Amino acid sequence: MRSLSAPAALLLPLLLAATQASAQGALQQERLSFGRVVAESWCANCHVTGPGARGPVGDAAPPFQEIARMPSTTEMSLRVFLQTPHARMPDYRLSQAELDGVVAYILSLKGR
């Protein structure tokens, strides 16, 4: 069995890390896309769900971008809020994947 040269041995961990980061980035992008679809399907009746999105007319719930920019908005606070029944919000039963996606999507709007 042939051993790796010193430069190859140094590059291998970097290549593995880059591959893992790329896979994690793709998973995060997939989660955001799924979260956007869930939000557009279930939340758009009351919220403007993203930049350029059409929203409800009248006294509606706050836009997702506004929610994302609130100092109190964190991953944990969104998870708790979305799993707690509220008088003005329908009692949606989100699956774990839907919850993960919507939370990730809302948080992604913070900087937009």
Side-chain angles (χ1 to χ4, degrees):
M1 182 170 170
R2 193 172 163 202
S3 65
L4 293 175
S5 67
L10 292 174
L11 288 176
L12 186 59
L14 293 175
L15 180 60
L16 291 173
T19 301
Q20 183 179 13
S22 177
Q24 288 176 344
L27 179 61
Q28 178 66 7
Q29 195 58 39
E30 185 177 313
R31 183 176 291 134
L32 289 176
S33 295
F34 180 63
R36 182 182 52 78
V37 169
V38 172
E40 289 172 351
S41 298
W42 291 13
C43 308
N45 291 329
C46 300
H47 295 271
V48 173
T49 58
R54 301 175 100 194
V57 177
D59 187 23
F64 276 11
Q65 283 183 294
E66 188 177 307
I67 293 168
R69 292 179 182 144
M70 295 169 78
S72 60
T73 299
T74 64
E75 180 178 350
M76 179 70 77
S77 70
L78 287 172
R79 287 181 181 283
V80 169
F81 184 83
L82 291 171
Q83 294 180 56
T84 305
H86 294 84
R88 294 187 62 191
M89 192 167 133
D91 188 17
Y92 291 126
R93 303 282 182 194
L94 297 173
S95 70
Q96 189 64 50
E98 291 166 335
L99 180 63
D100 292 347
V102 171
V103 167
Y105 176 66
I106 291 172
L107 291 174
S108 77
L109 299 173
K110 191 173 277 213
R112 291 187 183 181

